[in-house]
Amino acid sequence: MFFVVSKLFWLMVQPISLSFGLVLLGGLLVTWGRRRFGLMLGSAGLMVLGLSAFTSLGFLLIAPLEDRFVRPAAMPQRVTNIVMLGGATVGRVSAARAVAELNEAGDRLVETLRLAQLYPQSRIVLSGGSGALGGDIEAEAVTAERFFVAMGIAPDRVLLEDQSRNTVENAQLTAALLGPGSGVTVLVTSAFHMPRAVGLFRAAGMTVIAWPVDYRSTGAESIGFDLVNPVLNLTTTGVAMREWIGLLVYAATGRIESPFPAP
């Protein structure tokens, strides 16, 4: 139930949906004779869209998430597991064309491959099923496995956790797959996602070394107008909002100990 509710909630409150909904409701209210209230809602919708798409707001929101965890200055000589969370591939295209089509988070696969080459004795744990509400979509772990095998990684090094639908299940099912005393484990996911991921893996009883990738900000942005790439700005704002909301909800429901897990 939590998974379905979270998906439906985000469909409604992501910036583009929220903007459209407010403008649409405002227009209906004007039509129904509630002109003042309708114009207020419509203006609010346009403001949400403007701030999300034409300012640096998204980068300011995402930077603290990305800066929370940094890669360790010194790594242990031996790493037992390299856990990569799903979210870096395009399921429908990958399955239809029998390829591993990467999305903007493709750094997850590239950096996991590099770590796998640095630690040739480690196991590569690919965690990710399908996060779609409906339809038969290939599990992200299966798509990622195709990538690593094509890059020369021996199939017997790869462990698949292909049932999880969100980060809560990523952590719980991976912990169950590896079992207690699983050794030194490196966790690879997008930098903005690392606070929530580490918090959930800790709650599942696993101690992990955070290895953030897929940075979206420089960390030095300031507030201002940004008209060059409104689609990128809108996407970044949505990603940041989703993570902050996720952290607050997970903390409120007891899934993580703190709303902003620390290193």
Side-chain angles (χ1 to χ4, degrees), residues 98-120:
V99 298
E101 188 64 32
L102 309 187
N103 60 25
E104 64 274 12
D107 287 2
R108 299 189 192 188
L109 285 90
V110 175
E111 194 63 20
T112 299
L113 177 62
R114 190 177 76 84
L115 289 171
Q117 293 169 340
L118 288 175
Y119 297 98

Side-chain angles (χ1 to χ4, degrees), residues 13-14 36 69 85 113 184 193 205:
V13 302
Q14 60 184 312
R36 183 177 179 181
F69 287 84
L85 302 189
L113 177 62
V184 178
H193 184 232

